[in-house]
């Protein structure tokens, strides 16, 4: 099935998103900060992967490497009442909203100092104080929760948006369509951000979707505005997301955004180094060489005279050092006390304990 | 005290909590303009408007999940399932999200939601509409499961459930909605996890929850009148938390226990309680613990046959006589 080129499909246009108003406003420091965020995500995960392979942690790790521009770009636009929720490939979003490497790495290690006290693991990072609601393991299970965040924002009369990330595989779950219908019906300020990395585990988009060249367009059936754009370009991510956030803030209307992107590693550590099989070595090479969001942004900043090679190396090295330090922190952190097995199950049980107090600040009482 | 229907007791609870706390919102299919499939929310939309009483499309996974997300932000949504049977469509949201978000986040996130609606069959609506899912849900740490048997309990337990900071699964019953009971004019709350002695007795403890309590009370009356057997009827009121102390105290007094349960027998609520009794007061028992449950088959459509599937009065009497 062919879809006619839509005016919404930003990527079809040949334009320079760095000239978009939201990006022209960026100071040099802002731009370097965007680069730093992407590098922090990458170095964190590279260190995480090597520690995993060294037997320091268990469970899954779904690496976000290659997609950094999407989380960093979207989250750089978050205002006071904007909230983020995502799936299990959550490290990038967590660091993008400002979670520390220490609490994230310690969570990978299953330590008491982890953001979720060692109870969440790689798929379940949370920081509600930073409007970050995780970290969810059931494919598309977070999409109704994202709708609920939007519902809460609107109910409280706030100017905000719920930014809900999902994968190209998640769009095939039924719950997602229930959400689209309700989001449009109820005028909820939710933004569904499809990170289309072209694969759900080992299944390519070609094998999972009947309409292959645009997933966001499905929103049309629900009267939802959508846009499809190049995810490798952080400027473009920001320009497109900004419009959706404005729509949410000013009209309380939902939007679907689709960013094409690519993960350099496998679906999870199980196939982290996997090259053949469902993707060709050439394809991976091409994406690494020609579509790496960090390299693209680096080149852009150098061409604008904002960045030098030396400065880049400095930022990159600092990110690596921070990641290494977080691994050391995690390694030296204590394991959770076995008595905490029965904490955090029920609020009442935890009353008076530290765990009971933490969740409390979201309530009036 | 006013004599009112069970459905109106719930209705009063909603109205009072809506007025008390601006974060309380009722959400579900037909709860607003249609006044509720069972008229439990009758008049509330007219009184409180679109913001507080909200109709949804038929999208259980979507709207239950939406309520959970909103509760994470501090709202206190009360979600109606037209039948608890339809929760199966929303189980991902209830079990993976509502029950576990607090745990997975190490205590950072709360989920103060109430999910409610009629459980149990008895109105000849067939197997897909007659589930009794309290055991399915009580099996999940993080959920609370409440079953109110009377109008008084329904109101007091519902008000507590709405104020609770954990997800509460509140089981009602289509057959109970029309039952009348005394409800005080002044405000009251009933704590979750406190059983109620619905009838004092000396010889046998009949322990159960929900609509089965009404059946048990009838059986107890007949046993007293016709056999001079004095039965104590313990209404659990909530399955999780479970008032173990009340159960054990009664059994230690009567030395005999008959469990009544509209749940299925296999891995059902009564199986849990029977195991607990034998573990904790085996020496107090003068006879084996007996169970009267729904029969181990899906719900029958034919009303005459369906009736046979529930714990009937004569089945309870037979079990009590067998151990007296
Ligand atoms: C309901 C459900 N089914 C299957 C899985 C196993 N699973 C985890 S991730 C995944 C692939 C999802 O792909 P996509 O949504 O495209 O996200 P991506 O991994 O590309 O970020 C699968 C099948 C799951 N976690 N949940």
């Amino acid at each position: 099935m062919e879809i006619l080129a839509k005016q919404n499909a930003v990527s079809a246009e040949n334009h320079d998103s760095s000239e978009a108003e939201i990006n022209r406003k960026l100071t040099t420091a802002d731009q370097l900060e965007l680069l730093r965020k992407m590098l922090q995500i990458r170095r964190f995960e590279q260190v995480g992967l090597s520690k995993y392979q060294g037997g320091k942690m268990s469970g899954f790790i779904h690496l976000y490497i290659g997609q950094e521009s999407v989380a960093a770009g979207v989250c750089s636009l978050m205002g006071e009442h904007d909230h983020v929720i995502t799936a299990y490939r959550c490290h990038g979003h967590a660091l993008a909203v400002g979670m520390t490497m220490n609490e994230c790495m310690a969570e990978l290690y299953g330590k008491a100092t982890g953001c979720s006290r060692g109870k969440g693991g790689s798929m379940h990072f949370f920081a509600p104080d930073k409007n970050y609601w995780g970290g969810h393991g059931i494919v598309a299970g977070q999409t109704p929760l994202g709708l609920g965040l939007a519902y809460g924002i609107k109910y409280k009369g706030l100017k905000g948006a719920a930014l809900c990330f999902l994968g190209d595989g998640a769009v095939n779950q039924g719950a997602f369509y229930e959400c689209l219908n309700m989001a449009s019906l109820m005028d909820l300020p939710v933004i569904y951000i499809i990170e289309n990395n072209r694969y759900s585990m080992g299944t390519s988009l070609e094998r999972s979707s009947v309409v292959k060249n645009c997933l966001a367009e499905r929103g049309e059936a629900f009267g939802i505005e959508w846009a499809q754009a190049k995810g490798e370009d952080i400027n473009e991510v920001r320009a497109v997301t900004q419009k959706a956030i404005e729509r949410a803030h000013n009209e309380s209307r939902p939007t679907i955004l689709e960013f094409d992107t690519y993960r350099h590693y496998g679906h999870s550590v199980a196939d982290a180094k996997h090259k053949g099989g469902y993707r060709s070595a050439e394809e991976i090479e091409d994406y690494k060489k020609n579509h790496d969001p960090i390299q693209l942004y680096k080149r852009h900043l150098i061409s604008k005279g904002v960045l030098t090679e030396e400065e880049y190396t400095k930022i990159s090295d600092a990110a690596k050092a921070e990641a290494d330090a977080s691994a050391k922190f995690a390694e030296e952190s204590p394991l959770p006390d076995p008595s905490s097995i029965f904490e955090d199950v029920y609020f009442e049980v935890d009353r008076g304990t530290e765990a009971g107090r933490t969740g409390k600040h979201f309530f009036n009482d | 005290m006013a004599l009112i229907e069970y459905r109106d007791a719930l209705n009063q609870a909603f109205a009072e909590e809506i007025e008390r706390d601006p974060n309380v919102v009722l959400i579900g299919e037909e709860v607003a303009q249609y006044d509720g499939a069972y008229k439990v929310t009758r008049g509330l939309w007219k009184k409180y408007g679109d913001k507080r009483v909200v109709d949804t499309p038929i999208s259980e996974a979507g709207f239950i999940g939406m309520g959970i997300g909103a509760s994470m932000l501090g709202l206190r949504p009360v979600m109606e399932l037209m039948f608890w049977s339809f929760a199966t469509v929303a189980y991902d949201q209830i079990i993976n999200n509502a029950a576990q978000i607090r745990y997975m986040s190490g205590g950072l996130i709360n989920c103060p939601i109430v999910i409610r609606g009629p459980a149990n069959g008895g109105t000849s609506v067939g197997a897909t509409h007659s589930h009794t899912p309290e055991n399915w849900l009580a099996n999940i740490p993080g959920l609370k499961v409440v079953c109110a048997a009377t109008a008084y309990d329904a109101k007091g337990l519902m008000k507590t459930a709405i104020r609770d900071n954990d997800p509460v699964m509140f089981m009602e019953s289509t057959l109970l909605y029309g039952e009348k009971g005394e409800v005080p004019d002044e405000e009251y709350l009933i704590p979750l996890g406190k059983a109620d002695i619905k009838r004092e007795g000396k010889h046998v403890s009949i322990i159960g929850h929900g609509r089965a309590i009404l059946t048990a009370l009838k059986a107890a009356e007949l046993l007293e009148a016709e056999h001079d057997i004095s039965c104590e009827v313990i209404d659990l009121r909530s399955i999780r938390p479970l008032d173990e102390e009340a159960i054990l105290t009664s059994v230690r007094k009567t030395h005999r226990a008959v469990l009544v349960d509209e749940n299925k027998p296999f891995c059902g609520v009564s199986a849990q309680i029977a195991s607990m009794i034998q573990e904790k007061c085996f020496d107090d028992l003068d006879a084996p613990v007996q169970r009267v449950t729904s029969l181990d088959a899906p719900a029958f459509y034919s009303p005459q046959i369906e009736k046979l599937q529930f714990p009937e009065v004569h089945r309870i009497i037979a079990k009590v006589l067998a151990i007296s």
Side-chain angles (χ1 to χ4, degrees):
Chain A
M1 232 180 280
E2 269 299 303
I3 290 186
L4 298 176
K6 287 275 174 0
Q7 56 181 21
N8 276 343
V10 182
S11 53
E13 297 166 23
N14 209 355
H15 69 282
D16 180 1
S17 291
S18 68
E19 288 303 315
E21 202 196 329
I22 187 77
N23 292 324
R24 264 192 285 128
K25 283 196 292 207
L26 291 172
T27 63
T28 298
D30 293 337
Q31 290 172 292
L32 295 181
E33 185 53 33
L34 289 174
L35 179 71
R36 183 187 343 270
K37 267 288 176 261
M38 290 198 281
L39 276 163
Q40 281 175 323
I41 296 169
R42 181 157 303 183
R43 299 293 173 248
F44 173 86
E45 292 208 305
Q46 285 170 334
V47 169
L49 176 62
S50 81
K51 297 296 173 191
Y52 188 98
Q53 287 165 338
K56 297 289 184 188
M57 54 188 81
S58 49
F60 297 125
I61 299 190
H62 305 89
L63 299 179
Y64 193 64
I65 290 174
Q67 307 185 201
E68 295 92 340
S69 45
V70 183
V74 169
C75 296
S76 68
L77 296 164
M78 281 173 74
E80 193 189 350
H81 301 303
D82 298 323
H83 294 262
V84 165
I85 189 163
T86 186
Y88 45 85
R89 198 179 295 284
C90 68
H91 311 159
H93 310 94
L95 294 172
V97 301
M99 287 180 74
T100 65
M101 284 199 201
N102 276 2
E103 62 186 324
C104 293
M105 191 65 83
E107 190 58 34
L108 294 183
Y109 273 71
K111 294 298 182 76
T113 50
C115 57
S116 307
R117 309 211 300 153
K119 292 177 168 178
S122 85
M123 301 190 287
H124 307 298
F125 289 2
F126 300 93
D129 59 327
K130 297 186 174 64
N131 292 3
Y132 183 60
W133 301 92
H136 296 269
I138 302 295
V139 171
Q142 80 280 17
T143 58
L145 298 182
L147 190 71
L149 293 175
Y151 188 93
I153 291 164
K154 184 176 180 188
Y155 188 89
K156 292 177 173 202
L158 302 170
K159 238 182 191 222
L163 299 149
C164 179
F165 293 89
L166 64 155
D168 48 284
V171 300
N172 296 319
Q173 283 281 32
F176 179 52
Y177 295 97
E178 299 186 15
C179 292
L180 296 186
N181 184 53
M182 282 192 286
S184 192
L185 186 74
M186 298 175 153
D187 292 317
L188 295 178
V190 64
I191 303 172
Y192 285 113
I193 300 161
I194 304 167
E195 297 194 61
N196 182 356
N197 60 20
R198 308 220 357 247
Y199 295 90
S200 46
M201 226 169 129
T203 304
S204 67
L205 188 65
E206 282 68 31
R207 295 200 295 126
S208 65
S209 281
V210 66
V211 176
K212 305 170 203 320
N213 56 351
C214 187
L215 300 173
E217 204 239 9
R218 298 184 191 191
E220 265 183 32
F222 301 92
I224 295 180
E225 296 281 337
W226 58 274
Q228 191 184 30
K230 235 190 312 178
E232 67 198 35
D233 176 354
I234 194 166
N235 281 314
E236 181 143 325
V237 169
R238 282 169 46 85
V240 171
T241 305
Q242 180 57 25
K243 283 190 196 152
I245 291 181
E246 275 165 21
R247 180 175 299 124
H249 286 191
N250 301 330
E251 302 164 39
S252 191
R253 285 291 298 167
T255 306
I256 304 179
L257 302 179
E258 176 181 354
F259 293 119
D260 54 69
T261 183
Y262 199 78
R263 54 170 160 79
H264 292 180
Y265 288 87
H267 168 68
S268 72
V269 282
D271 64 340
K273 296 281 186 203
H274 180 94
K275 288 226 161 86
Y278 62 91
R279 324 192 284 184
S280 69
E282 295 74 41
E283 177 183 303
I284 299 172
E285 251 341 279
D286 175 51
Y287 272 96
K288 281 189 181 170
K289 225 169 105 200
N290 303 314
H291 303 278
D292 181 333
I294 296 181
Q295 291 309 314
L296 290 174
Y297 196 51
K298 172 189 167 189
R299 265 180 250 156
H300 167 75
L301 294 183
I302 289 181
S303 78
K304 294 270 167 179
V306 171
L307 181 76
T308 62
E309 276 290 349
E310 297 74 57
E311 274 172 304
Y312 174 82
T313 309
K314 247 198 204 136
I315 296 173
S316 170
D317 288 350
K320 173 73 165 68
E322 190 185 352
D324 285 334
S326 74
K328 187 163 183 290
F329 168 80
E331 222 148 295
E332 289 167 359
S333 287
L335 278 170
D337 192 294
S339 69
S340 67
I341 287 174
F342 295 107
E343 288 172 3
D344 309 320
V345 181
Y346 293 104
F347 179 90
E348 287 300 326
V349 174
D350 297 333
R351 249 174 205 261
T353 69
E354 197 199 331
R357 281 194 301 273
T358 27
K360 252 182 120 175
H361 59 264
F362 297 102
F363 298 94
N364 303 330
D365 54 12
Chain B
M1 278 220 265
L3 191 64
I4 63 170
E5 287 186 359
Y6 183 105
R7 59 162 62 80
D8 294 325
L10 288 171
N11 188 289
Q12 285 183 8
F14 300 146
E16 288 175 20
E17 293 307 300
I18 284 175
E19 300 211 0
R20 196 186 67 87
D21 181 350
N23 286 320
V24 173
V25 51
L26 307 185
I27 301 175
E29 291 157 15
E30 311 291 6
V31 297
Q33 307 203 17
Y34 188 79
D35 267 345
Y38 300 99
K39 306 301 166 214
V40 177
T41 53
R42 188 159 53 193
L44 297 177
W45 174 69
K46 275 218 177 71
K47 187 151 182 217
Y48 299 108
D50 285 331
K51 179 159 187 195
R52 311 301 295 280
V53 188
V54 184
D55 280 327
T56 68
I58 307 158
S59 307
E60 280 80 5
F63 76 74
I64 294 288
M66 180 181 83
I68 296 165
S71 80
M72 286 160 36
L73 267 194
L75 267 59
R76 293 185 178 274
V78 181
M79 316 297 296
E80 177 169 305
L81 287 166
M82 199 175 282
F83 284 88
W84 256 108
S85 289
F86 308 156
T88 50
V89 175
Y91 260 43
D92 171 44
Q93 293 300 320
I94 296 173
I95 293 174
N96 282 310
N97 293 338
Q100 307 188 133
I101 190 78
R102 181 172 172 78
Y103 199 74
M104 290 195 306
S105 68
L108 289 175
I109 300 173
N110 289 325
C111 180
I113 196 172
V114 176
I115 303 175
R116 53 155 291 267
N120 304 10
T123 52
S124 198
V125 287
T128 54
H129 287 56
S130 304
H131 285 294
T132 307
E134 55 265 37
N135 61 324
W136 304 350
L137 296 158
N139 190 243
I140 310 296
L143 299 180
K144 292 179 175 171
V145 180
V146 174
C147 302
T150 65
Y152 175 87
D153 287 357
K155 181 173 178 185
L157 290 167
M158 180 58 79
K159 283 170 68 80
T160 308
I162 293 172
R163 298 181 196 190
D164 199 281
N165 289 322
D166 293 314
V168 181
M169 310 295 109
F170 201 100
M171 311 276 152
E172 301 148 23
S173 160
T174 36
L175 284 176
L176 286 174
Y177 286 139
E179 292 281 334
K180 287 191 170 168
E182 299 271 8
V183 169
D185 300 324
E186 64 277 9
E187 177 176 275
Y188 65 99
L189 295 169
I190 298 174
L192 309 188
K194 280 271 162 284
D196 183 40
I197 302 175
K198 286 281 189 289
R199 186 185 209 277
E200 301 261 7
K202 295 197 293 266
H203 304 130
V204 182
S205 301
I206 304 181
I207 299 156
H209 64 276
R211 185 161 60 99
I213 288 297
L214 305 191
T215 322
L217 286 169
K218 281 184 205 137
E221 252 172 59
L222 289 171
L223 283 159
E224 182 87 62
E226 293 170 13
H227 302 278
D228 216 17
I229 296 174
S230 154
C231 294
E232 181 146 291
V233 178
I234 305 285
D235 178 2
L236 299 171
R237 295 205 289 206
S238 79
I239 304 304
R240 192 164 185 155
L242 183 69
D243 191 346
E244 294 191 0
E245 220 23 68
I247 298 168
L248 298 176
T249 305
S250 181
V251 174
R252 284 182 183 130
K253 179 169 94 176
T254 63
H255 309 292
R256 290 176 171 79
V258 174
L259 311 181
V260 287
D261 186 4
E262 292 195 352
N263 229 204
K264 301 290 184 235
F266 198 85
C267 299
V269 170
S270 59
Q272 168 68 25
I273 295 169
S275 140
M276 192 266 290
I277 292 174
Q278 71 81 24
E279 205 175 299
K280 299 198 172 164
C281 57
F282 184 74
D283 289 339
D284 296 289
L285 287 171
D286 282 347
V289 176
Q290 300 293 317
R291 296 201 286 155
V292 185
T293 68
S294 281
L295 301 186
D296 206 6
F300 223 107
Y301 160 66
S302 274
Q304 300 85 342
I305 311 296
E306 187 198 19
K307 211 157 63 77
L308 306 178
Q309 294 183 287
F310 288 105
E312 289 185 288
V313 172
H314 71 88
R315 279 170 59 201
I316 299 173
I317 290 176
K319 289 286 186 189
V320 170
L321 292 178
I323 56 166
S324 294

